[in-house]
């Protein structure tokens, strides 16, 4: 019995050490970005690199706002991401609920078509999607940065898996109490799906917030630039000012950190609950 405990304790510390090493490897780029945002351009380019600023340059952050309309890009990214995420999560819940709880002719075949669309590379869809937006006169408008994200196939799959595991007894009890179709979805099913919704919220928000290629090919006006496009334009206009780039990148990751911090309690639960059965 003592040998078993000793083996377990050694294995535990080995796994713990591996996890710590892996965590340090994952955290290192983030640490380097944050530390570099307080360095001067000269210190950033010197070799060997310094792991701690010799002199803290706080003015890098204020210079970012002076070199480009960073606040407008920030607002554009946050507004477009918030609208796209809220609508995308809600539509995924409705469509997933219908696929899971309603029986109609061709349901499984239609859902299979949804899943088949996930196998198509996103890059191959950009040209036809751009032509659709152009024919609808949405290019270079705020609509082109929001509407394409209103339906998320992965989100539909995730929410369908959750609602399939939701016992019908809850919905039948609500029906006996006089709840209609939408009321059962809104008051009974949706509150129980908060964990999966939180996980999906993070996925969609990160996808929209970090999107670069789609805004780049659809938006020409600088007033509609998002943060990825705006930072790329800063590099082309101002050259390789790495100190400002690191400062801007540090401010860019703040919303993602806030969103994940608020939803992290439900993130793992949402993944495990929504992606096991089918």
């Amino acid at each position: 019995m003592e040998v078993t405990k000793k083996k377990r304790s050694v294995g535990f510390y080995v796994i713990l050490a591996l996890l710590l090493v892996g965590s340090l490897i994952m955290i290192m780029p983030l640490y380097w970005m944050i530390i570099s945002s307080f360095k001067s351009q000269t210190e950033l380019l010197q070799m060997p690199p310094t792991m701690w600023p010799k002199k803290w340059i706080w003015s890098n952050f204020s210079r970012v706002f002076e070199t480009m309309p960073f606040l407008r890009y920030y607002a554009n990214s946050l507004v477009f991401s918030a609208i796209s995420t809220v609508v995308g999560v809600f539509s995924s819940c409705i469509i997933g609920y219908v696929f899971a709880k309603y029986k109609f002719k061709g349901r499984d075949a239609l859902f299979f078509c949804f899943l088949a669309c996930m196998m198509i590379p996103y890059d191959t869809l950009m040209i036809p999607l751009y032509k659709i937006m152009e024919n609808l006169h949405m290019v270079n408008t705020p609509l082109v940065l929001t509407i394409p994200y209103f339906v998320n196939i992965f989100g539909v799959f995730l929410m369908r898996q959750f609602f399939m595991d939701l016992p019908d007894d809850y919905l039948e009890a609500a029906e006996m109490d006089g709840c209609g179709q939408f009321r059962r979805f809104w008051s009974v099913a949706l509150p129980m799906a908060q964990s999966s919704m939180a996980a999906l919220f993070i996925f969609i928000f990160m996808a929209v917030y970090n999107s670069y290629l789609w805004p780049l090919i659809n938006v020409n006006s600088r007033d509609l630039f998002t943060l990825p496009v705006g930072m790329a334009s800063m590099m082309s206009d101002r050259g390789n000012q790495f100190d400002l780039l690191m400062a801007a990148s540090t401010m860019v990751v703040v919303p993602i950190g806030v969103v994940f911090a608020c939803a992290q309690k439900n993130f793992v639960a949402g993944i495990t609950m929504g992606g096991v059965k089918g």
Side-chain angles (χ1 to χ4, degrees):
M1 189 69 180
E2 293 180 358
V3 176
T4 304
K5 289 184 177 179
K6 186 177 181 180
K7 289 183 178 179
R8 289 180 178 177
S9 62
V10 172
F12 170 79
Y13 287 113
V14 170
I15 294 175
L16 181 61
L18 292 175
L19 290 175
L20 288 175
V21 173
S23 300
L24 290 175
I25 295 175
M26 297 295 292
I27 293 175
M28 189 60 192
L30 181 63
Y31 168 80
W32 180 256
M33 179 188 68
I34 296 175
I35 290 299
S36 298
S37 65
F38 295 98
K39 295 180 180 179
S40 64
Q41 178 81 344
T42 304
E43 186 176 357
L44 269 174
L45 297 177
Q46 77 175 36
M47 295 298 293
T50 57
M51 300 302 296
W52 193 258
K54 296 179 180 178
K55 182 180 180 181
W56 292 77
I57 310 297
W58 296 90
S59 60
N60 288 341
F61 295 92
S62 60
R63 288 171 58 202
V64 171
F65 293 93
E66 296 173 359
T67 55
M68 66 174 178
F70 188 78
L71 190 60
R72 175 176 289 276
Y73 300 160
Y74 220 122
N76 289 342
S77 291
L78 290 178
V79 171
F80 296 150
S81 299
I83 295 174
S84 302
T85 304
V86 171
V87 178
V89 171
F90 186 69
S91 66
S92 299
C93 291
I94 293 180
I95 301 173
Y97 179 79
V98 170
F99 276 124
K101 295 304 181 183
Y102 288 85
K103 296 181 179 180
F104 52 89
K105 188 176 181 180
R107 181 190 67 171
D108 295 337
L110 182 60
F111 183 70
F112 178 79
C113 292
F114 264 76
L115 294 184
C117 293
M118 293 180 63
M119 295 184 289
I120 303 176
Y122 178 69
D123 295 342
T124 62
L125 298 175
M126 283 195 173
I127 294 178
L129 189 57
Y130 172 81
K131 296 301 293 184
I132 293 175
M133 296 292 105
E134 185 180 33
N135 293 332
L136 294 175
H137 305 288
M138 294 183 181
V139 174
N140 205 32
T141 67
L143 296 176
V144 77
L145 300 177
T146 53
I147 289 181
Y149 301 100
F150 282 177
V151 177
N152 186 279
I153 299 176
F154 172 76
V156 172
F157 169 76
L158 182 68
M159 299 312 301
R160 173 188 177 270
Q161 299 304 100
F162 171 82
F163 287 127
M164 286 189 68
D165 295 337
L166 182 67
D168 294 334
D169 297 340
Y170 294 107
L171 304 177
E172 293 173 357
E175 185 179 7
M176 293 179 62
D177 290 338
C179 292
Q181 299 289 340
F182 185 78
R183 183 67 181 275
R184 282 188 292 170
F185 164 76
W186 183 262
S187 301
V188 179
L190 206 59
M192 294 183 178
Q194 290 183 0
S195 297
S196 296
M197 291 171 61
L200 183 58
F201 189 95
I202 294 177
F203 280 125
I204 298 180
F205 184 86
M206 289 185 62
V208 182
Y209 187 79
N210 294 325
S211 179
Y212 170 71
L213 190 56
W214 180 249
L216 179 65
I217 64 178
N218 284 277
V219 173
N220 298 323
S221 174
R222 286 183 175 267
D223 292 337
L224 295 175
F225 276 7
T226 57
L227 283 172
V229 180
M231 292 178 62
S233 66
M234 181 188 73
M235 293 185 63
S236 61
D237 295 341
R238 297 283 179 171
N240 295 326
Q241 292 184 312
F242 296 110
D243 51 347
L244 300 185
L245 182 61
M246 292 296 104
S249 300
T250 301
M251 291 186 284
V252 166
V253 301
V254 171
I256 297 178
V258 172
V259 169
F260 186 81
C262 295
Q264 64 175 337
K265 294 182 180 179
N266 298 322
F267 179 72
V268 177
I271 295 299
T272 56
M273 291 174 63
V276 177
K277 293 185 180 180

